[in-house]
Amino acid sequence: MKIFNHEIQPGERFCDYIKVGELACFSDIRIPVMVLRGKQAGPTLWLTGAVHGDELNGLWAMRRFFWELAADKLQGTLVITPILNPIAFWGRSKVSMLDQLDMDQQFPGNPQGLYSERVAHVIFSELKEKAGYVIDFHTLNHLFSATPYTVSKLVAEANDKTNEEAFRLAKIFGVYPNCRVDLKTAGGELPGTTSGALDILCMQHNIPCFMAEMGGGGRWEESSIQVAYQGIENVMAALGMIAKDLPVSEKKLIITKRKFLRSDYGGLVRMAVKPGDFVPAGGLIATIYDFFKEVGHVHAEQDMFMIATCFNPVVSSGDRLAFVGCEWHETK
Ligand SMILES: [Zn+2]
């Protein structure tokens, strides 16, 4: 099989950089590509990371997993593009300084467009032809702590099998909270627009894909890296790519509605809750202070599950304090 024009034989491990652009200082812009083709045939799982440049936990899990997996233990092909947005990665930021575009709103990309559109085009052109399944790794931003969770979207243009398979694999990934987002009714979320997201484009091409949101951004969290590693292993086992007993099915929280809680005040916030907490209606979520008094409180207006909470205490009015689930059910 060919990946980015490189012929890869059964049993071969391929690692190289692919040129995706050029900088004014005469350097190439490159992304790392890692491929392990098993000795036996099977599905192609493609892992992507750092489409937002400061979301780091997933890429270290991919690197660790790739070098620990042997070709004779693999059926099918594992393709890894751990850094989709190298300029944002270099700048330690979500978006690149070259165009300030959110690359995860630019797919399928445009070969005549701005930097992010061009890179998105290079990646998606190849991925849509070769990938059988995709896991797209993200984190919350660096101001937040988060419990690892998955997001699988119900996409109208995808067939039923694709929609079901993405949800099934997201649950098999193995974390307790799993967001199930119906794009017809989704609202109140960042980035607010859902067009051009890699997971949605994959689904529209009937490639089952989900997002793995692995903790907080801008840092490495060993616990989130381990969750990501286990998740890759679980999904590959479920696809028959590696031999491994899947963990006994544990209860999963399926979150069907979520939103951000925002501060009405400026000051310093003390969070009363942490990621993973259930908060009953009326429960205290946060208190905002200045240096002389308590400026205000934030209470839950309904039962809530805390997906992510503010890590940095500095808040202005309108800033996000928490990302919460407000409708859910439990399932096996
Ligand atoms: Zn992201």
Side-chain angles (χ1 to χ4, degrees):
M1 73 187 305
K2 268 191 174 176
I3 302 281
F4 290 111
N5 264 334
H6 292 268
E7 185 68 44
I8 296 158
Q9 303 298 330
E12 186 179 342
R13 189 183 295 270
F14 169 84
C15 305
D16 206 350
Y17 293 94
I18 305 297
K19 179 177 172 178
V20 292
E22 296 180 359
L23 287 171
C25 57
F26 318 107
S27 300
D28 288 345
I29 305 172
R30 306 187 302 172
I31 60 166
V33 177
M34 302 142 85
V35 183
L36 183 62
R37 185 171 174 191
K39 289 191 174 160
Q40 294 161 303
T44 298
L45 174 66
W46 193 310
L47 309 178
T48 57
V51 67
H52 298 137
D54 61 347
E55 302 181 357
L56 307 175
N57 289 323
L59 59 89
W60 193 252
M62 294 177 214
R63 186 188 190 282
R64 191 180 283 172
F65 192 89
F66 181 78
W67 290 106
E68 288 179 9
L69 181 63
D72 57 2
K73 299 273 193 299
L74 173 64
Q75 299 189 20
T77 304
L78 179 64
V79 183
I80 302 179
T81 43
I83 300 170
L84 299 189
N85 193 342
I87 299 297
F89 170 76
W90 169 54
R92 302 189 187 94
S93 67
K94 178 177 177 176
V95 301
S96 87
M97 66 183 79
L98 292 179
D99 57 17
Q100 305 292 331
L101 290 178
D102 181 341
M103 190 184 279
D104 207 24
Q105 294 176 20
Q106 310 311 323
F107 292 96
N110 175 1
Q112 276 90 45
L114 297 168
Y115 154 80
S116 298
E117 298 172 283
R118 287 174 184 242
V119 179
H121 175 77
V122 172
I123 293 160
F124 194 72
S125 304
E126 187 71 7
L127 183 147
K128 75 171 196 278
E129 300 297 330
K130 309 290 165 63
Y133 304 87
V134 175
I135 309 176
D136 183 29
F137 282 87
H138 288 254
T139 68
L140 268 286
N141 79 32
H142 67 281
L143 304 176
F144 279 78
S145 299
T147 182
Y149 66 100
T150 71
V151 184
S152 59
K153 293 171 183 162
L154 199 53
V155 178
E157 298 89 345
N159 64 35
D160 291 350
K161 195 164 158 254
T162 304
N163 276 314
E164 281 162 26
E165 187 68 345
F167 187 38
R168 181 182 82 92
L169 294 174
K171 286 185 286 182
I172 284 170
F173 188 81
V175 292
Y176 176 59
N178 298 272
C179 298
R180 182 62 167 155
V181 177
D182 186 343
L183 287 187
K184 279 198 280 255
T185 55
E189 301 178 18
L190 285 186
T193 168
T194 46
S195 65
L198 176 60
D199 60 339
I200 297 173
L201 261 291
C202 288
M203 295 292 287
Q204 288 171 343
H205 285 76
N206 284 310
I207 303 165
C209 176
F210 66 91
M211 286 163 60
E213 293 274 359
M214 297 291 101
R219 57 196 187 266
W220 271 340
E221 299 168 331
E222 186 55 33
S223 60
S224 296
I225 292 168
Q226 282 178 23
V227 167
Y229 181 102
Q230 285 282 279
I232 297 166
E233 199 171 52
N234 289 343
V235 168
M236 289 182 72
L239 293 173
M241 297 176 72
I242 55 172
K244 185 207 172 218
D245 291 334
L246 282 169
V248 182
S249 177
E250 291 167 353
K251 276 188 184 161
K252 299 281 185 293
L253 190 73
I254 309 300
I255 298 166
T256 49
K257 198 169 173 200
R258 32 187 216 164
K259 67 175 180 182
F260 281 99
L261 303 183
R262 293 177 184 275
S263 179
D264 293 331
Y265 316 97
L268 297 159
V269 65
R270 300 280 295 182
M271 298 300 295
V273 294
K274 61 184 187 309
D277 285 353
F278 287 95
V279 182
L284 179 67
I285 289 179
T287 304
I288 293 106
Y289 299 85
D290 66 14
F291 283 99
F292 318 116
K293 60 187 180 302
E294 292 180 5
V295 179
H297 301 274
V298 179
H299 292 92
E301 70 234 7
Q302 62 186 110
D303 291 356
M304 289 177 174
F305 174 78
M306 297 293 130
I307 299 170
T309 59
C310 186
F311 174 76
N312 187 300
V314 181
V315 289
S316 299
S317 52
D319 276 354
R320 290 170 282 152
L321 297 175
F323 186 43
V324 303
C326 24
E327 280 176 14
W328 61 78
H329 58 274
E330 266 194 335
T331 182
K332 277 268 184 186

